[in-house]
């Protein structure tokens, strides 16, 4: 059986964060969960594309804009499941155990969020994001999104628009959202940028 998950990462000048994100995915390769890595780039002028190529990623390019980038990445995905991750989001050790369990029950899953350094205020913001997600089943884009490809298609996927594209998709997924149980970490700067 082929690995089920296509990981899709939208990038724009992500050379600082992308290596950490990719390193955290090795666990998924070793567990036989990751079928492919798709980096969908919006015009990086740094080493992002070289890093992606060195990791064996399939690179898709086009105009910058998270919605369009994720839409282009999903369009070329061959896996039965999509795992949408931001490059500054690094999955924690043991995430594959939770992912394997999720594959048995098709739904849309998000991860809890932690902060790499930064002090008390960013940790409090992360706790608030996690609490809000659990109460409302409305995660932020920084919490990743693991979902079956047929569900992604059924709700219409990401809109090719520059803003609130993730919010619109998450609204259409209401009733299908569940916590994954895995944690990913972000920098305090990334947490402030989009929450």
């Amino acid at each position: 059986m082929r690995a089920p998950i296509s990981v899709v990462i939208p990038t724009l000048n992500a050379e600082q964060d992308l290596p950490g994100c990719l390193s955290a995915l090795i666990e998924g390769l070793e567990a036989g969960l990751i079928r492919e890595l798709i980096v969908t780039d919006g015009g990086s002028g740094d080493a992002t594309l070289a890093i992606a190529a060195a990791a064996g990623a399939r690179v898709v390019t086009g105009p910058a804009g998270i919605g369009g980038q994720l839409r282009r990445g999903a369009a070329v995905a061959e896996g039965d499941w999509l795992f949408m991750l931001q490059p500054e989001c690094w999955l924690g050790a043991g995430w594959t155990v939770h992912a394997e369990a999720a594959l048995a029950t098709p739904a849309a899953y998000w991860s809890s969020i932690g902060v790499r350094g930064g002090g008390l205020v960013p940790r409090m913001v992360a706790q608030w994001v996690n609490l809000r997600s659990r109460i409302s089943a409305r995660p932020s884009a920084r919490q990743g999104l693991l979902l079956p490809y047929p569900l992604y298609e059924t709700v219409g996927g990401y809109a090719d628009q520059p803003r609130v594209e993730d919010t619109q998709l998450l609204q259409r997924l209401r009733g299908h959202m569940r916590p994954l149980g895995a944690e990913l970490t972000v920098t305090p700067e990334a947490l402030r940028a989009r929450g």
Side-chain angles (χ1 to χ4, degrees):
M1 185 171 93
R2 296 190 69 182
I5 299 174
S6 294
V7 177
V8 180
I9 303 174
T11 57
L12 181 62
N13 297 324
E15 69 180 2
Q16 295 297 315
D17 293 315
L18 188 57
C21 180
L22 298 178
S23 293
L25 294 174
I26 292 172
E27 182 179 323
L29 289 170
E30 292 172 348
L33 292 177
I34 297 178
R35 181 173 184 162
E36 62 186 338
L37 170 63
I38 300 165
V39 170
T40 174
D41 191 72
S44 293
D46 63 3
T48 297
L49 296 180
I51 293 167
R58 181 175 184 179
V59 176
V60 179
T61 58
I66 299 292
Q69 287 175 242
L70 288 171
R71 189 173 186 85
R72 287 189 294 276
V76 300
E78 297 178 2
D80 296 328
W81 285 71
L82 298 171
F83 202 166
M84 308 298 198
L85 290 173
Q86 303 292 322
E88 61 275 10
C89 299
W90 303 358
L91 287 160
W95 69 268
T96 54
V97 173
H98 303 285
E100 285 184 274
L103 296 178
T105 307
Y109 294 89
W110 78 86
S111 301
S112 62
I113 197 166
V115 183
R116 297 189 297 275
L120 180 62
V121 172
R123 286 197 307 273
M124 289 175 61
V125 171
Q127 288 174 353
W128 166 249
V129 169
N130 290 330
L131 179 62
R132 180 191 67 198
S133 299
R134 286 203 175 266
I135 291 171
S136 67
R138 291 183 63 193
S140 79
R142 294 292 185 256
Q143 291 177 265
L145 183 61
L146 174 66
L147 75 166
Y149 199 93
L151 177 58
Y152 172 83
E153 287 188 314
T154 296
V155 299
Y158 285 99
D160 190 356
Q161 60 187 44
R163 304 189 65 85
V164 300
E165 67 294 320
D166 52 351
T167 304
Q168 289 184 353
L169 177 63
L170 293 173
Q171 286 173 346
R172 293 193 305 271
L173 286 168
R174 283 188 80 92
H176 299 282
M177 300 294 298
R178 297 182 182 184
L180 182 59
E183 181 179 86
L184 52 78
T185 60
V186 300
T187 62
E189 296 77 21
L191 191 61
R192 281 193 297 271
R194 287 188 57 159

